[in-house]
Amino acid sequence: MSMTLLQNQLRYRSMRRSLALCIAALGVLVSCGPSKHAVHVEMRHPSKTGVNLVGKNVAVVYLEGDNVVSSEFGESMADGFAYSLEQDYGPTTQIGIYRMRCQSGADYSQKDSLFNILMDTGSDIVFLFDTVRFGTMTVGGPSRVSYPSSVDSSFVSNGNVPYTMKLYCYDGMNKEDRVQAYGGTAMARPEIYSNGKDDSTLATSKAWKSLGVEGWDAGVKVADSFKSQWKHEQYSIVYYEGEKWYDALAKAEQYDWKGAMDIWMQLLSTNDLMKRACAEYNISVACYMLGDYPLAIEWLDLSDKENKLPISDALRKRIDSRMN
């Protein structure tokens, strides 16, 4: 066994003993009935837009048209958008990127259009980036680079071009069954490297070709509105005096909800209705933490049937809010 692993195990055993001693000390002050212990967790909530991507298959689609610059910018924007969401949601969400030819006269903000994409991609939710519309590009004068890599990149100029983007979102799992539209105007500022002798026509041409990076950054920025919101919350765990109750509580403190639930399952083999109700309540909390909300409701129903706890309604309200 490695020294690091041994130290981790010793720290865990020490923590569990300390927790058990603390709970045992509190138990002297109370009756032989159940006690409560508060567990503090950071809980994931839907994004600022209300869109929730946890556990969903997501299709990110960008339109390709005759304007090469607009198509390349849209591709980079879709890539940056998808990458940013993948970093936030991790393996709980599967994201695919698709290119679609823009059809003249088509209205991609309509539900039928997005529903067809949803079916074609086998996704739960689709984001579609409409073709980007650009204004006039302007390029400032060149400035000398402090540490150029070559003569042809010894100067840098900054371009400026306004653009308007539109993003449509359709969630096939949302009971509202409607398209949500987002959009706005922003400024892209590509950097153009040169030897300092480019005329305005050449500088402008280079600026248009350098918009890819700006598209990626734009996609990352748009994704911020669809990332999870994290909130600090407190949940109650019910326990009795006894090694198994303490062990389960220690695992809950370490957010090992599966391990805690396994112990609470063992504690169900009792004729004491209150103890059984407490174990079932705790199992409901564990199911909630693991994201299985229907099962959490089933266990809470069992707990209420055995002996309804005063804290039951608060947990039920939290579960219902996740299921709606």
Side-chain angles (χ1 to χ4, degrees), residues 17-85:
R17 284 197 297 271
S18 298
L19 181 62
L21 289 173
C22 179
I23 295 172
L26 291 173
V28 175
L29 303 178
V30 299
S31 66
C32 58
S35 299
K36 290 190 304 181
H37 178 75
V39 176
H40 299 268
V41 295
E42 292 291 325
M43 294 296 293
R44 185 195 294 269
H45 286 265
S47 64
K48 291 180 289 186
T49 61
V51 175
N52 186 4
L53 303 182
V54 175
K56 295 181 180 179
N57 291 321
V58 180
V60 178
V61 183
Y62 68 94
L63 297 180
E64 181 182 64
D66 295 330
N67 188 313
V68 176
V69 172
S70 178
S71 297
E72 291 180 349
F73 189 89
E75 179 181 6
S76 295
M77 189 160 54
D79 286 343
F81 180 81
Y83 173 81
S84 187
L85 293 181

Side-chain angles (χ1 to χ4, degrees), residues 306-324:
E306 303 280 17
N307 197 326
K308 185 173 181 179
L309 305 180
I311 54 179
S312 172
D313 288 340
L315 177 60
R316 185 176 297 275
K317 184 177 179 180
R318 279 173 157 167
I319 299 172
D320 287 342
S321 69
R322 292 284 185 168
M323 297 179 69
N324 295 330

Side-chain angles (χ1 to χ4, degrees), residues 206-226:
K206 287 183 176 181
W208 284 115
K209 293 178 180 179
S210 302
L211 278 174
V213 174
E214 296 296 310
W216 173 280
D217 292 342
V220 169
K221 187 174 182 179
V222 172
D224 287 342
S225 297
F226 298 94

Side-chain angles (χ1 to χ4, degrees), residues 91-112:
T92 65
T93 301
Q94 302 297 318
I95 301 178
I97 302 177
Y98 303 87
R99 176 181 62 191
M100 189 167 70
R101 185 69 182 175
C102 181
Q103 300 296 321
S104 178
D107 185 356
Y108 294 98
S109 66
Q110 296 300 306
K111 188 182 77 172
D112 288 347

Side-chain angles (χ1 to χ4, degrees), residues 126-298:
V126 58
F127 291 96
L128 186 142
F129 284 93
D130 209 336
T131 51
V132 180
R133 300 185 182 279
F134 292 98
T136 302
M137 174 75 75
T138 60
V139 180
S143 300
R144 186 176 291 277
V145 177
S146 300
Y147 301 100
S149 58
S150 67
V151 174
D152 290 336
S153 61
S154 56
F155 288 83
V156 63
S157 302
N158 292 313
N160 290 277
V161 58
Y163 67 91
T164 300
M165 60 79 61
K166 294 180 180 179
L167 174 65
Y168 309 118
C169 172
Y170 177 68
D171 187 348
M173 300 176 70
N174 191 320
K175 62 183 180 182
E176 293 184 3
D177 194 34
R178 64 184 179 89
V179 176
Q180 295 174 268
Y182 310 90
T185 300
M187 188 72 71
R189 296 181 172 85
E191 292 184 338
I192 308 99
Y193 290 89
S194 68
N195 58 10
K197 299 178 182 180
D198 291 349
D199 58 25
S200 60
T201 301
L202 181 56
T204 300
S205 176
K206 287 183 176 181
W208 284 115
K209 293 178 180 179
S210 302
L211 278 174
V213 174
E214 296 296 310
W216 173 280
D217 292 342
V220 169
K221 187 174 182 179
V222 172
D224 287 342
S225 297
F226 298 94
K227 290 182 178 179
S228 304
Q229 296 187 94
W230 293 90
K231 299 179 181 179
H232 180 85
E233 296 179 358
Q234 176 179 302
Y235 291 81
S236 295
I237 298 298
V238 193
Y239 67 92
Y240 280 82
E241 293 184 42
E243 183 177 357
K244 285 189 175 181
W245 290 98
Y246 297 156
D247 286 346
L249 191 54
K251 288 184 180 294
E253 278 285 352
Q254 292 295 304
Y255 312 123
D256 179 8
W257 296 106
K258 180 63 172 63
M261 186 163 57
D262 289 342
I263 298 175
W264 288 322
M265 286 286 191
Q266 299 173 26
L267 292 169
L268 293 175
S269 57
T270 175
N271 293 324
D272 189 320
L273 294 183
M274 177 59 82
K275 286 186 176 180
R276 202 154 64 218
C278 291
E280 289 163 346
Y281 169 88
N282 291 342
I283 294 171
S284 177
V285 173
C287 292
Y288 174 84
M289 293 297 177
L290 294 172
D292 194 337
Y293 307 126
L295 191 57
I297 284 290
E298 289 185 23

